[in-house]
Amino acid sequence: MFIICFTSSSQSIFGKWKTVDDETGIEQSIVEIYQEQGKAFAKIIELLEKDKKDKLCENCKGIQKNKPIKGMIIINGLSKDENEWNNGKILDPKTGKEYKCFISLEGNHKLKVRGYLGFAFIGRTQYWYKVIE
């Protein structure tokens, strides 16, 4: 009798991700996605562009206005819905605008992040890449 053992690489949105600007292709930041009370959140833990390491969110509104982008929570309150996380918000620190958001895995090391106003087909998509430690 043969016993076959294998380990499966669990696919999860949680952990550290490298963000890449969808317009310029420039690597921008390292974001950590974490879970609290069943909801997903994401925080910028490192800015990769040397001239922007101490950048403030000048275009943000409210309590985020002129706060450091590093350490800022940019995804708030996503809920799991089958193969995606949705019904939350994402903040674009470059513009200071907040959008509805959903995210889904595109494999073990690639995350699709979609921000939109109103309808999901009218929006912008970025792909984030898993930071392997």
Side-chain angles (χ1 to χ4, degrees):
M1 172 153 87
F2 292 97
I3 299 175
I4 300 173
C5 294
F6 64 93
T7 58
S8 165
S9 175
S10 177
Q11 293 186 1
S12 171
I13 65 164
F14 302 109
K16 295 178 183 172
W17 297 88
K18 184 181 296 183
T19 70
V20 178
D21 187 293
D22 57 304
E23 295 170 341
T24 65
I26 295 172
E27 295 177 347
Q28 294 183 305
S29 64
I30 303 295
V31 171
E32 184 169 20
I33 300 178
Y34 59 96
Q35 190 170 13
E36 282 185 7
Q37 299 176 338
K39 303 272 185 180
F41 298 84
K43 172 170 59 173
I44 296 175
I45 60 172
E46 183 180 351
L47 293 171
L48 300 175
E49 295 179 80
K50 290 184 190 217
D51 62 331
K52 296 185 180 177
K53 291 212 182 266
D54 297 318
K55 185 125 174 79
L56 303 178
C57 195
E58 297 165 355
N59 295 321
C60 288
K61 295 173 182 40
I63 62 170
Q64 302 282 42
K65 177 102 178 133
N66 292 320
K67 297 287 186 201
I69 293 174
K70 181 180 177 182
M72 188 171 280
I73 295 172
I74 60 166
I75 293 180
N76 283 292
L78 294 175
S79 301
K80 178 105 169 99
D81 183 14
E82 294 188 28
N83 293 328
E84 72 179 31
W85 289 75
N86 55 38
N87 294 321
K89 300 275 187 175
I90 187 167
L91 171 70
D92 179 354
K94 189 188 313 184
T95 64
K97 294 184 179 180
E98 198 172 57
Y99 302 92
K100 293 179 182 178
C101 174
F102 72 83
I103 61 178
S104 60
L105 284 167
E106 298 272 316
N108 283 340
H109 305 293
K110 187 175 179 184
L111 189 67
K112 178 180 179 180
V113 181
R114 178 93 176 145
Y116 60 96
L117 289 170
F119 301 99
F121 63 87
I122 302 173
R124 191 167 144 192
T125 299
Q126 282 189 344
Y127 290 95
W128 296 359
Y129 300 91
K130 189 80 166 174
V131 174
I132 309 299
E133 299 182 281

